[in-house]
Short mmCIF file of all heavy atoms in Angstrom, two decimals:
data_model
loop_
_atom_site.label_atom_id
_atom_site.label_comp_id
_atom_site.label_asym_id
_atom_site.label_seq_id
_atom_site.Cartn_x
_atom_site.Cartn_y
_atom_site.Cartn_z
N ASP A 197 -0.60 20.48 55.30
CA ASP A 197 -0.70 21.07 56.67
C ASP A 197 -2.20 21.13 57.13
O ASP A 197 -2.53 21.68 58.15
CB ASP A 197 -0.24 22.53 56.58
CG ASP A 197 -0.97 23.37 55.56
OD1 ASP A 197 -1.30 22.81 54.54
OD2 ASP A 197 -1.32 24.52 55.74
N LYS A 198 -3.06 20.46 56.36
CA LYS A 198 -4.45 20.40 56.72
C LYS A 198 -5.02 18.97 56.59
O LYS A 198 -5.07 18.39 55.40
CB LYS A 198 -5.25 21.29 55.67
CG LYS A 198 -4.96 22.67 55.91
CD LYS A 198 -6.19 23.54 55.41
CE LYS A 198 -6.21 24.93 55.95
NZ LYS A 198 -4.91 25.59 56.04
N ALA A 199 -5.45 18.46 57.74
CA ALA A 199 -5.84 17.02 57.71
C ALA A 199 -7.17 16.81 56.81
O ALA A 199 -7.30 15.79 56.36
CB ALA A 199 -6.19 16.70 59.16
N SER A 200 -7.92 17.99 56.64
CA SER A 200 -9.12 17.95 55.93
C SER A 200 -8.92 18.22 54.47
O SER A 200 -9.93 18.23 53.70
CB SER A 200 -10.16 18.91 56.46
OG SER A 200 -9.69 20.21 56.40
N ALA A 201 -7.75 18.40 54.00
CA ALA A 201 -7.55 18.78 52.56
C ALA A 201 -7.89 17.65 51.64
O ALA A 201 -7.51 16.50 51.81
CB ALA A 201 -5.97 19.08 52.33
N PRO A 202 -8.78 17.95 50.67
CA PRO A 202 -9.24 16.91 49.75
C PRO A 202 -8.17 16.19 48.97
O PRO A 202 -8.23 15.08 48.61
CB PRO A 202 -10.11 17.70 48.74
CG PRO A 202 -10.66 18.80 49.56
CD PRO A 202 -9.53 19.22 50.49
N VAL A 203 -6.97 16.87 48.85
CA VAL A 203 -5.89 16.32 48.09
C VAL A 203 -5.43 14.97 48.76
O VAL A 203 -4.98 14.00 48.07
CB VAL A 203 -4.69 17.29 47.89
CG1 VAL A 203 -4.06 17.60 49.30
CG2 VAL A 203 -3.70 16.86 46.93
N LEU A 204 -5.64 14.89 50.02
CA LEU A 204 -5.07 13.67 50.77
C LEU A 204 -5.99 12.52 50.42
O LEU A 204 -5.47 11.38 50.21
CB LEU A 204 -5.22 13.89 52.36
CG LEU A 204 -4.17 15.01 52.87
CD1 LEU A 204 -4.38 15.32 54.31
CD2 LEU A 204 -2.74 14.55 52.68
N GLY A 205 -7.30 12.73 50.29
CA GLY A 205 -8.24 11.68 49.85
C GLY A 205 -7.88 11.25 48.45
O GLY A 205 -7.87 10.05 48.18
N HIS A 206 -7.64 12.21 47.60
CA HIS A 206 -7.39 11.87 46.21
C HIS A 206 -6.10 10.98 46.16
O HIS A 206 -6.06 10.06 45.34
CB HIS A 206 -7.09 13.15 45.40
CG HIS A 206 -8.20 14.13 45.27
ND1 HIS A 206 -9.51 13.70 45.09
CD2 HIS A 206 -8.22 15.47 45.18
CE1 HIS A 206 -10.31 14.76 44.99
NE2 HIS A 206 -9.48 15.79 45.06
N ALA A 207 -5.10 11.28 46.93
CA ALA A 207 -3.90 10.48 46.94
C ALA A 207 -4.12 9.06 47.46
O ALA A 207 -3.70 8.12 46.85
CB ALA A 207 -2.74 11.19 47.81
N GLY A 208 -4.83 9.05 48.57
CA GLY A 208 -5.14 7.73 49.23
C GLY A 208 -5.89 6.81 48.26
O GLY A 208 -5.51 5.72 48.17
N GLU A 209 -6.84 7.39 47.60
CA GLU A 209 -7.66 6.64 46.61
C GLU A 209 -6.81 6.01 45.49
O GLU A 209 -7.15 5.05 44.95
CB GLU A 209 -8.71 7.44 46.08
CG GLU A 209 -9.93 7.73 46.88
CD GLU A 209 -10.75 9.04 46.47
OE1 GLU A 209 -10.50 9.42 45.32
OE2 GLU A 209 -11.49 9.50 47.30
N ARG A 210 -5.64 6.75 45.24
CA ARG A 210 -4.81 6.31 44.15
C ARG A 210 -3.56 5.43 44.64
O ARG A 210 -2.59 5.26 43.91
CB ARG A 210 -4.36 7.52 43.34
CG ARG A 210 -5.47 8.05 42.54
CD ARG A 210 -5.33 9.53 42.03
NE ARG A 210 -6.62 9.85 41.24
CZ ARG A 210 -7.75 10.15 41.82
NH1 ARG A 210 -7.96 10.18 43.16
NH2 ARG A 210 -8.79 10.47 41.05
N GLY A 211 -3.59 5.19 45.89
CA GLY A 211 -2.57 4.27 46.43
C GLY A 211 -1.25 5.05 46.71
O GLY A 211 -0.19 4.37 46.74
N ILE A 212 -1.37 6.36 46.93
CA ILE A 212 -0.17 7.14 47.12
C ILE A 212 -0.12 7.61 48.59
O ILE A 212 -1.15 8.00 49.09
CB ILE A 212 -0.16 8.36 46.26
CG1 ILE A 212 0.04 7.85 44.77
CG2 ILE A 212 1.01 9.33 46.49
CD1 ILE A 212 -0.23 8.90 43.71
N ALA A 213 0.98 7.41 49.25
CA ALA A 213 1.14 7.80 50.69
C ALA A 213 0.75 9.21 50.82
O ALA A 213 1.15 10.13 50.18
CB ALA A 213 2.62 7.61 51.04
N ALA A 214 -0.14 9.31 51.85
CA ALA A 214 -0.69 10.73 52.14
C ALA A 214 -0.61 11.01 53.63
O ALA A 214 -0.93 10.14 54.44
CB ALA A 214 -2.09 10.86 51.76
N ARG A 215 -0.04 12.17 53.93
CA ARG A 215 0.21 12.45 55.33
C ARG A 215 -0.02 13.91 55.70
O ARG A 215 0.39 14.71 54.82
CB ARG A 215 1.64 12.01 55.65
CG ARG A 215 1.98 12.38 57.09
CD ARG A 215 3.07 11.39 57.65
NE ARG A 215 3.34 11.77 59.05
CZ ARG A 215 4.41 11.82 59.62
NH1 ARG A 215 5.47 11.44 59.03
NH2 ARG A 215 4.51 12.29 60.85
N SER A 216 -0.63 14.27 56.80
CA SER A 216 -0.71 15.57 57.26
C SER A 216 -0.14 15.81 58.59
O SER A 216 -0.13 14.86 59.41
CB SER A 216 -2.22 16.13 57.19
OG SER A 216 -2.89 15.49 58.28
N LEU A 217 0.48 16.98 58.81
CA LEU A 217 0.87 17.44 60.12
C LEU A 217 0.24 18.70 60.39
O LEU A 217 0.02 19.49 59.48
CB LEU A 217 2.44 17.66 60.06
CG LEU A 217 3.32 16.46 60.14
CD1 LEU A 217 3.38 15.63 58.79
CD2 LEU A 217 4.73 16.92 60.47
N SER A 218 -0.15 18.91 61.71
CA SER A 218 -0.82 20.21 62.05
C SER A 218 0.18 21.17 62.61
O SER A 218 0.88 20.85 63.62
CB SER A 218 -1.89 19.90 63.06
OG SER A 218 -2.42 21.17 63.51
#
Side-chain angles (χ1 to χ4, degrees):
D197 58 321
K198 288 203 166 32
S200 60
V203 69
L204 294 171
H206 297 324
E209 286 160 13
R210 287 159 182 79
I212 294 168
R215 176 147 182 223
S216 69
L217 279 75
S218 172

